[in-house]
């Protein structure tokens, strides 16, 4: 999917991935106006974490950018809102050349059958950020 978003040629797609790739292709061609960032690693040195958001795009008809995380599970995950809020923070700390004001965030659940994917948008409220920061602190406490 990253190669498609970059406009790169793909040599071979494994049969088990074909549906997901077709689902992403449909979305990229029919929903996305412009791709701004594809799988770029960012760091927040103050909070001590790194992340690599999947995509930042402009959706057709939108005036703001959308941070998109690609997912393959059928059901939305409970941690996804916190993950996307953490990515959003990384973008705000590192992407001074982009207008991120009003940026939307969402998880794009790709279809294994190649059908159009489903987008779930998140509010990125303080609760999501607090949840991520609590998990980050627990990780540091138990692993560092």
């Amino acid at each position: 999917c990253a190669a498609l978003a970059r406009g790169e040629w793909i040599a071979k797609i494994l049969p088990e991935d074909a549906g997901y790739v077709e689902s992403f292709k449909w979305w990229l061609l029919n929903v996305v106006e412009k791709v701004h960032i594809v799988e770029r690693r960012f760091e927040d040195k103050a909070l001590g974490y790194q992340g690599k958001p999947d995509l930042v795009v402009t959706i057709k008809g939108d005036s703001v950018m959308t941070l998109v995380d690609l997912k393959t599970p059928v059901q939305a995950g409970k941690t996804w809102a916190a993950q996307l809020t953490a990515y959003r923070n990384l973008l705000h700390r590192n992407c001074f050349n982009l207008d991120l004001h009003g940026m939307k965030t969402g998880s794009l659940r790709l279809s294994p059958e190649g059908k159009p994917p489903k987008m779930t948008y998140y509010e990125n409220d303080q609760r999501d950020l607090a949840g991520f920061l609590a998990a980050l602190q627990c990780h540091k406490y138990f692993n560092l």
Side-chain angles (χ1 to χ4, degrees), residues 21-34:
V21 172
E22 287 304 312
S23 182
F24 180 77
K25 271 191 210 177
W26 182 92
W27 178 79
L28 188 63
L29 292 172
N30 293 288
V31 178
V32 174
E33 180 178 314
K34 183 175 181 181

Side-chain angles (χ1 to χ4, degrees), residues 56-57 64-67 84 87-89 91-92 99-105 122-124:
V56 176
V57 300
V64 298
M65 292 184 200
T66 301
L67 166 61
L84 279 155
Y87 285 160
R88 183 183 176 112
N89 176 66
L91 292 171
H92 281 289
D99 180 7
L100 302 174
H101 180 73
M103 181 174 56
K104 298 177 183 179
T105 62
Y122 303 98
E123 296 297 320
N124 295 297

Side-chain angles (χ1 to χ4, degrees), residues 110-132:
L110 302 174
S111 165
E113 296 88 23
K115 297 177 184 174
K118 297 177 182 174
M119 177 71 93
T120 301
Y121 287 97
Y122 303 98
E123 296 297 320
N124 295 297
D125 60 18
Q126 292 300 316
R127 182 175 174 264
D128 295 333
L129 184 58
F132 169 75

